[in-house]
């Protein structure tokens, strides 16, 4: 509920259009549907313009289907992240509109197409193995209404593979850099452009990579101002934030 | 053995009703049955009023059955935690009174119903995926003789989903807050009420969650006084402590 | 503001006794005084019956004096933790009612004495060096209105030093156990009584103690149900929680 | 050098306006002044519109003065971070235009005022002790040409101290949230608004805070999409990124 | 080779009984058989009286069989640790003398029985789940020629289960204490006796146990002098050291 | 491209032999083939004399085949590391020249044999279980054109197994030492020779080995100057660096 | 109290020589003197033959003096560890018998000389900087009644400095090995002898030594059976355990 | 002693020129001088051609002077690392030949100048603050007989400051890269050249740099083959290894 809604509600109570008890009821029941195991926040899309996001990994297929169904009734766009193919098939049976992006592991139901701004988001990876995380970022951004420039496998060990793409990168409004190992790509890219960089450490690598900690620490301690960081392998979060910035007016 | 028992024993020795050797024997043999691989503490329930708790995860099904059987003979209530369905079926064959709570992963044999106080325990989770830990806490508390108010999926990213439940929460005597990820829910709940909060970090999440460490540290460093913490995913411990406080006279 | 206050406010708006704008104003301005660098929550004591707690360590003496002064005007009890003697002297000059507990490092202004329940809190330490943390817990509990049973230097390496105190400990309603090193005392005490134990790891020790992590981990993984844990050296938090439980009706 | 400059340079070589050796010379000598211990990048401001930033903490006062002097000659704006008062006085003697922000620990020389956009940056802290980091963020943003809305001491333990500021916060284009301890404020703020949040963990706190790691992990694992994170205590980085986003066209 | 052997060798060279080249040959070829993938140290048993120990976990079944075969020819006793049943069956086929201890996961070939001293080694565990590590320690000690007193499941949460065994424990020459979780048992036992305690942390437990780190740190920081520690789950090492001390003259 | 190539290119542009646009095209398109998911750097071999290395572990079999095919066309030698047998069979079907080293997990296509210098590289392991890492180092070095002296299972617990090999080791130009557990072998070898030692920690071991961290830290803190370290289990990196040094002129 | 004392006590109660209340009194009051801040365990020396050990580091000089005074009255030997010179001077004033070992940082009052067995303890360090820890171990062992063979600065980077001492080392009954950095010396010594090795990691070193963790982990993961470990810098613990083993009959 | 010396010794014994006892004496007494607190290895320089290195940080000024004096007598070159100015002044008084390098913190006595090869070592730092570590590396290399190319403050945030130096860097035989923060410079340099890179992480930085761990992990996980790593801030080790490689024939 927006501040306006609250003001309106208070006015209606003042005018006697609503009783105090009604007011309390509205404030309590409006924003979500309680499924017992989950509380769906219909309110969020109205408030933010973004669809509801469902993190599927910790949920049973049955729970995911039920959440998607409730949302579907309300004509919301839905994005389900970390969903495997098996979960998708169960959802698809019940909700034939559902689409699946296998590399990104995303289920999507899109009831209405979002508008797309003229500026773009660049999604750059250091290696081929970073692709699942990169696709999660790219598909998230696209579903939220953005055009994405994908540049994959441009690690610092062969920096010339990045340099020829710089003019195109410089036309973007925000950059997502995805790298495992030593995560140096975020610093290098940020040092070459003057655009906000959202860095995503990945768990790619072995030994002292420690499931992404090396890349995470490297990105946090980047000597190049202009880099902010999201969680290890959190392609979704990076795509979501990049969309927020790219769609800014 | 209570202090009274010890005093009685010493008196009987003084009076010659018991010999010194008998006294040593009683002190040594009374409190437990030695199964070789386990020493069952019959003493505990007499002393505490709580049933014996068996942590099943590190034991073979045969060991668990034997422990349950010995206890069963003594007419004790028994709670077995971290038990899978397969283990339950083996126990059930030998001990038909056994009941199973699949989400909580608890086997229970309840020979006598405990009394239940008027006050309640609130069990609140941040997300749907925290449910197994929450159910372990809730079922433990119920088996020990408490009424539980369950509020699941009320994370801080949509705080209004919590706020309408506050009046009901405030009537409880103690709150268990269960959260993974950044574990912020414990601080937020504790800041809104004046009731002891037992926080359970869960291993839900990925990347820099590190199997629950993020939530654990966040809960330990909570800026809100009134929060104490148990081990990661330790729903049982939280339910047990909450019961101790709720059943307090 | 309690739920009642909110209902009353809404009713007054409905009846025209208050305008909508007045309602918004009240909701916004009531609960705290904004000093620029700090927002003092007068609301808390009314709501909770506990005085406001000021964590002094990260603040300048000037900031602490100003916060105490504002509170003093409102006739609140105030507790300032982690305050050194120098800070106390500056506060004392301005507010002659202020008292200082040097081992506990607490400044207190007590305008009205709280009632004290019949039950007690036991505060037990493993070693002499744990005394500053123990006194922080004990003094906090006393200032909040509790009687405290102090048992210091009763570590597990000489368990007989604890055993003779058990009858007295068993009469308490809640126990605070404070230990550095391997933190075993919490498990041992909890195994001997049937009372909630709040464990405080301390940074006492050297080498692989790692500033309290050894004790913290040991307490979190206690094999004895009934133990909850607060942050390393957090005597205040333990005293506060113990008071909550001891003063429970 | 921009792509245009390189194209121009290549054209001049083609036309014979510049020799190959001259071309190599220009490419090599243009962008920085080599002081031996430091290489000052004059090129950066031309390219980015931002002044050169000097991280003073690891440098001697003599080195800082020399760097400032060289820049001063080139009429650049300069920002020196992590500078103590002593260093400032030495700089001031040589360069009387230098100004000092003691809480933020910043030395600034501003030869030309940057334009300031209509939108604002909100800088919110959880506690009073987070002020030095917050001021580093705020002053950085202001020197780079932004208006800042400061809201200090609004931690989650008393959430009503934040709520009344929400309407004002919602008018900002980007939010910097600064918190130590459990760092929950970033999630809570991000859940209440639909604006990018840059989270800064601080080393404020004790025990299991581990110099800011608790807050860092909590912010990285935030369950609220829309949060990106910078290094512990990195107020400058947050202010710089926030400025990038706020000044975006 | 003992010091005597070296002196003898040098004397033979002096007397001309051996050439210098022969001397070098002997020094080089004597002590081990080179299988390419492994270098078997026949020398060790002669020197120490202990059989060769083979750590099977990182080796293929073929490698283990070949090592056992070479040793067998030399009439040495052999102990193979961390061997699963499958590996044992392959060894058994080739070497029918091999015996297997399934809980301890040890393969043994005993060509000659070692003498057994009158004193005993106590092996005490905190829980039932610690049994595999305890059996590795006990069987190792027995195969090296020791009598073992096994006391399993005597954790600190029910200390009376330990106390009645104290008189028997006090007759032992060295104690192995095996515990996961908070590892408090080592401190408690060491505080009750005046006998060297070798502590073995186990990876039993969950959450903040971190695969045995909690117990390891607790044992290292034991406030009770007289405790030394071996690696997590290293029952073999504890049994071997205990045997060294128990067999001491 | 070498500096010479760049000078030549600039000269051709000056002379009008190439247009500016052609220059930019060459600089951009020359060095790699873009497969979408990977950017193959043909440039590297020309520049360095080393073949392209493909890290297979994070890639699908299809991606690996495609990369090998493109390289094969260009007549480059290719080395694929961390490839399992299944992947090899798929590659073999398409490219019959491919060879496989199962212990080293390396696929190789060798179009032209490299020259081999007279000096050798020693590869020494502490245990049998370190063999896969050692073979990765040895085979890498051999494929890059070096002779290797293999000494496996020469751990410090039986130092005489190493000593007789010292004369041969001393004839090598560089030594690779591979050890898990406590990693002491690197220090010991380095103390006995005056040759650069490249140390490879392995994840062999259990308990407090923590997947190789113990060995890694031990090697980094080696009290013997002359030791440098590569990542845990990184046999390839060690073989590659050793080859760089051994082939040095 | 020994088992005999308890039996005697029980008999006296049975015979009516002691009342029950007297029995309880004796059990409670016998073993220690309660100083308020410390509970001195007079019982320990009687039971163990070892003097009381006072860990001085966390105590005020006044507390240490008072503890020493009480003990002195009882004619016990006392050892105070981690005491600086200043503390010693205060103790000396009150108790002129006190002696000080400055490198070992030990205060000692020796009322009666302990007997000394024929066998010796070897104390070996890797470097000169390990001397304070080594002296703490050596002086502790000497005060408890042992002869010590000191071999300092014999690190693995120059193993020949150790080898010539081997015959003498082999005559000892137990060895204490003290090393920082990579801690390899424990493994190397243990591989050369057949005597129990107690390893003490020290915090000597820099960078990835992490205050002794590198050495600690290396010692715990030693590939040489026969090594047990005490806490970082815990010279006292090592000396105490070594004494236990050396004085064994 | 070289292998030749040992052969000669054995021959002399055979010929009767030396007795067996004399042989043992020589082997034992030859290689070092025992100062009690230190064992000086005169043998090392003879064997390696390198001077003895003294790590001064953990030693008293008196110990350092005594070590230098003994060496001085033997006409050895000596290098003392981590020595502060105060220590130097004490050494200088006794040994007037001593020279001091204040930024590198090195004391040197050079009795004979080493030969210097034609090839050079490049020492490159990311920032100005890395200079002390860089100077330790550079001065060490120079004292051991090498020419050094210093390039300081060439971090990846402004890569053009590095590029113009590439031709000169490429003429070196080995490169030392020194960087704190995210340590990306090692990967970037190694990707641009075909020369062995020795990477030194520094403790420069704050927050999640964790005293150099970020840079250390980044360098270990470098995606660029050809990088080996030494300990945090270990400029000496890097200079020593670089000298080994540069002076290689």
């Amino acid at each position: 509920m927006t501040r306006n809604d609250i003001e309106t509600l208070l006015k209606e109570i003042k005018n006697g259009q609503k009783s105090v008890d009604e007011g309390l009821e509205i404030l309590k029941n409006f924003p979500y549907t309680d499924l017992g195991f989950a509380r769906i926040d219909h309110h969020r899309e109205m408030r933010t313009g973004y669809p509801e996001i469902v993190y599927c990994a910790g949920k049973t297929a049955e729970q995911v289907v039920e959440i998607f169904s409730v949302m579907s009734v309300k004509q919301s766009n839905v994005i389900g992240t970390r969903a495997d193919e098996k979960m998708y098939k169960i959802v698809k049976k019940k909700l034939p509109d559902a689409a699946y992006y296998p590399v990104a592991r995303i289920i999507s139901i899109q009831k209405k197409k979002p508008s797309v701004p003229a500026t773009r988001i660049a999604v750059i990876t250091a290696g081929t193995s970073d692709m699942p995380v990169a696709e999660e970022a790219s598909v998230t951004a696209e579903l939220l209404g953005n055009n994405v420039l994908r540049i994959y496998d441009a690690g610092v060990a062969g920096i010339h593979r990045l340099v020829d793409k710089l003019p195109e990168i410089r036309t973007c409004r925000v950059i997502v850099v995805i790298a495992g190992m030593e995560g140096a790509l975020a610093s290098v890219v940020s040092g070459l452009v003057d655009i906000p960089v959202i860095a995503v450490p990945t768990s790619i690598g072995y030994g002292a990579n420690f499931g992404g900690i090396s890349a995470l620490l490297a990105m946090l301690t980047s000597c190049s101002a202009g880099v902010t960081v999201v969680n290890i392998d959190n392609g979704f979060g990076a795509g979501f934030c990049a969309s927020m910035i790219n769609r800014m007016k």
Side-chain angles (χ1 to χ4, degrees), chain A residues 1-13 27 43:
Chain A
M1 295 180 89
T2 62
R3 193 186 151 86
N4 285 344
D5 295 334
I6 296 171
E7 275 192 58
T8 306
L9 180 62
L10 289 171
K11 277 187 192 143
E12 288 175 345
I13 292 167
L27 278 164
H43 184 208

Side-chain angles (χ1 to χ4, degrees), chain A residues 5-222:
Chain A
D5 295 334
I6 296 171
E7 275 192 58
T8 306
L9 180 62
L10 289 171
K11 277 187 192 143
E12 288 175 345
I13 292 167
K14 188 178 171 189
N15 303 338
Q17 293 171 277
K18 289 231 162 58
S19 71
V20 169
D21 281 351
E22 279 171 354
L24 284 173
E25 263 329 284
I26 287 165
L27 278 164
K28 272 172 26 188
N29 298 327
F30 192 77
Y32 61 85
T33 303
D34 191 340
L35 301 179
F37 59 86
R39 305 176 164 239
I40 301 168
D41 188 355
H42 310 299
H43 184 208
R44 171 164 280 264
E45 191 179 7
M46 274 175 283
R47 206 178 62 214
T48 69
Y50 294 118
E52 176 80 3
I53 312 294
V54 183
Y55 179 68
C56 300
K59 306 199 174 65
T60 64
E62 289 66 35
Q63 290 173 338
V64 170
V65 169
E66 199 169 341
I67 294 171
F68 272 68
S69 301
V70 170
M71 287 168 163
S72 201
V73 168
K74 301 249 178 182
Q75 295 295 315
S76 297
N77 288 350
V78 194
I79 295 178
T81 63
R82 302 290 161 109
D84 55 23
E85 195 124 24
K86 211 174 109 190
M87 190 174 271
Y88 167 62
K89 281 182 183 151
I90 300 172
V91 171
K92 181 77 178 177
K93 219 172 284 173
K94 189 89 181 279
L95 302 161
D97 289 356
Y100 189 60
Y101 301 78
V103 182
R105 289 155 302 161
I106 285 177
I107 303 175
S108 158
I109 299 180
Q110 199 160 43
K111 301 274 173 164
K112 53 206 165 211
K113 270 241 136 73
S115 67
V116 174
T119 52
R120 277 196 301 175
I121 297 166
V123 176
I124 309 176
T125 78
T128 298
S129 328
D130 300 318
M131 262 181 73
V133 179
E135 279 301 302
E136 192 181 73
S138 297
V139 171
T140 297
E142 287 168 343
L143 289 172
L144 294 171
N146 299 277
N147 285 319
V148 172
L149 167 66
R150 284 168 173 85
I151 301 173
Y152 293 173
D153 192 26
V156 296
I159 251 179
H160 58 285
R161 293 181 296 186
L162 176 69
V163 171
D164 72 314
K165 293 290 183 188
L166 275 177
E168 213 177 350
I169 294 170
R170 284 193 177 124
T171 65
C172 294
R173 209 181 193 199
V174 57
I175 304 171
V176 175
V177 172
I178 296 166
M181 314 292 273
E182 89 278 52
L185 189 61
S187 292
V188 171
V189 168
S190 175
L192 291 168
V193 300
D194 307 303
I195 303 167
V197 168
I198 298 169
V200 192
T202 66
S203 52
I204 300 309
Y206 54 99
N209 184 54
F210 301 129
I213 295 181
S214 295
L216 171 63
L217 293 181
M219 286 164 168
L220 282 169
T221 59
S222 173

